[in-house]
Amino acid sequence: MKLQIEKEAGLPLYLQIKAQIKQQIERGILAPGEQLPTERELALDLGVSRNTVSQAFAELSEEGVIEVGQGKGTFVTEAASAHPLARRLAEGHKEKALRLIDLAIDECLDLGFSLADFTALATVRAREREDSLLKTRVLFIDCNQEQLVNFSREFRELGMLEVIPLLLSDFLEGGLRIGKLLSQVDLVVTTTTHQEIVAEKLKDLGTELELVPVAAQPRLESLIRISRLSGDRSIGLVCLSREFPEIVRRTLAKLNMYDLSLDYTTTKDPEELGQFIENHDLILVYADRYREVKALAGEKEIISYLHGLDRGSVTLVRRAVERIWQQKQKEGR
């Protein structure tokens, strides 16, 4: 099991370890019943404290992803396959949330509040938080149109934020428009790939806006379908931008799926698009263009390909928004 952590990424180290173990299980790199390194071994390998690894293992165990046997080692649970895993994770999060609610109820009762008081207070607080999300404006920066569109939509579908998408190239050009835009938002979000260059540009522009890096990963269903195919088939990618194919290539390379002789097209011309489809055995298509391609593809095999935000990234953005909300509360805004 090989893990890589980024100590400057802004994401807590234990969450990076936890997320990568989950991803390796979901992708079949770690199989059910497989033994993990000991906490000590993994801590030494990654150059982190044993407590960091212990915290990651504890949460994975609580969620039913791994099983820690006293003196026997740590193993991936037999139930940890793609769809059962998602179900077990959801159940684990629900149980944890209920425990936190029970603890809050007990604390309020000790302070002399009734259950009705607790319900009223919790409802008011939840509405305030919801309002804070809706009133928070986020500038989302990325290098390609595909992820700008999809990630912005994901945040909106989660009932979060007013998202303003901006291409990285436009942001780096700067100018009065970018300065005005930064003065109108509360938070800047970008993918981990561009974190350093965006942070440097924000510093040059003299803004103190918080920057939150988020991680993207392809949808599991797409990877499962791609992994079942033989590597000698010609693959064509239909997308919106010239930057997106490189992201797809890097993702597939990390998973050792293909030699990556991946062609792509951004054309909207039906004749050109039809010819491109005809010239390839398999078509990967950015999800928003699926219907358009399907109408021309006939019986040709098509796989919808989409990157999504991971759970940890959504949590990071939520926490940043809550910090902004709390600061506004202090300042009376």
Side-chain angles (χ1 to χ4, degrees), residues 198-215:
V198 171
E200 289 178 0
K201 184 63 176 180
L202 288 173
K203 185 177 179 181
D204 291 343
L205 293 170
T207 179
E208 295 183 357
L209 286 169
E210 182 176 355
L211 173 64
V212 177
V214 294

Side-chain angles (χ1 to χ4, degrees), residues 96-142:
K96 186 174 182 179
L98 289 173
R99 286 198 297 272
L100 290 172
I101 292 171
D102 286 340
L103 180 61
I105 290 173
D106 290 340
E107 293 284 345
C108 285
L109 292 176
D110 288 343
L111 291 172
F113 293 98
S114 67
L115 284 174
D117 293 334
F118 173 82
T119 302
L121 287 169
T123 301
V124 169
R125 199 61 164 176
R127 286 175 178 166
E128 289 177 348
R129 290 295 180 90
E130 188 177 40
D131 288 343
S132 73
L133 289 175
L134 295 174
K135 292 176 182 176
T136 302
R137 304 188 79 199
V138 172
L139 181 63
F140 182 71
I141 302 170
D142 204 359

Side-chain angles (χ1 to χ4, degrees), residues 32-285:
E34 187 169 341
Q35 184 171 8
L36 301 184
T38 65
E39 292 178 2
R40 181 175 178 276
E41 289 169 343
L42 190 54
L44 286 173
D45 183 48
L46 297 175
V48 300
S49 72
R50 183 170 175 176
N51 284 341
T52 297
V53 178
S54 180
Q55 187 173 1
F57 276 18
E59 291 199 7
L60 288 169
S61 177
E62 185 178 275
E63 295 170 2
V65 180
I66 63 174
E67 185 175 4
V68 181
Q70 206 57 281
K72 297 180 181 179
T74 301
F75 299 85
V76 177
T77 60
E78 291 296 333
S81 58
H83 298 297
L85 173 61
R87 186 167 58 252
R88 289 175 67 86
L89 291 181
E91 291 170 353
H93 287 307
K94 181 179 179 180
E95 290 172 3
K96 186 174 182 179
L98 289 173
R99 286 198 297 272
L100 290 172
I101 292 171
D102 286 340
L103 180 61
I105 290 173
D106 290 340
E107 293 284 345
C108 285
L109 292 176
D110 288 343
L111 291 172
F113 293 98
S114 67
L115 284 174
D117 293 334
F118 173 82
T119 302
L121 287 169
T123 301
V124 169
R125 199 61 164 176
R127 286 175 178 166
E128 289 177 348
R129 290 295 180 90
E130 188 177 40
D131 288 343
S132 73
L133 289 175
L134 295 174
K135 292 176 182 176
T136 302
R137 304 188 79 199
V138 172
L139 181 63
F140 182 71
I141 302 170
D142 204 359
C143 68
N144 65 88
Q145 195 65 38
E146 288 84 353
Q147 292 188 169
L148 274 182
V149 171
N150 188 53
F151 289 4
S152 297
R153 180 169 55 214
E154 277 197 57
F155 280 125
R156 294 186 186 111
E157 288 175 352
L158 287 167
M160 295 176 62
L161 318 172
E162 179 184 348
V163 183
I164 302 171
L166 181 67
L167 282 170
L168 178 65
S169 56
D170 293 339
F171 173 69
L172 295 178
E173 283 182 10
L176 292 176
R177 172 175 170 259
I178 300 303
K180 183 178 180 180
L181 197 54
L182 291 173
S183 70
Q184 296 172 343
V185 300
D186 303 292
L187 183 70
V188 180
V189 176
T190 190
T191 50
T192 52
T193 308
H194 307 306
Q195 179 184 1
E196 186 175 342
I197 191 170
V198 171
E200 289 178 0
K201 184 63 176 180
L202 288 173
K203 185 177 179 181
D204 291 343
L205 293 170
T207 179
E208 295 183 357
L209 286 169
E210 182 176 355
L211 173 64
V212 177
V214 294
Q217 59 185 14
R219 296 300 188 195
L220 181 60
E221 293 82 1
S222 300
L223 293 181
I224 290 173
R225 289 186 64 188
I226 295 170
S227 67
R228 291 172 179 164
L229 302 171
S230 60
D232 59 352
R233 302 174 71 181
S234 61
I235 309 168
L237 172 66
V238 180
C239 51
L240 297 175
S241 70
R242 296 183 178 184
E243 292 79 15
F244 193 61
E246 185 55 36
I247 293 172
V248 177
R249 286 192 186 98
R250 288 200 303 265
T251 301
L252 297 183
K254 287 178 183 177
L255 300 173
N256 297 315
M257 286 187 176
Y258 280 100
D259 60 5
L260 303 184
S261 55
L262 180 69
D263 296 328
Y264 77 92
T265 184
T266 61
T267 185
K268 293 293 187 71
D269 180 84
E271 186 174 340
E272 290 182 13
L273 185 55
Q275 188 61 54
F276 180 84
I277 294 169
E278 180 66 27
N279 292 340
H280 295 85
D281 300 316
L282 168 70
I283 300 297
L284 297 182
V285 56

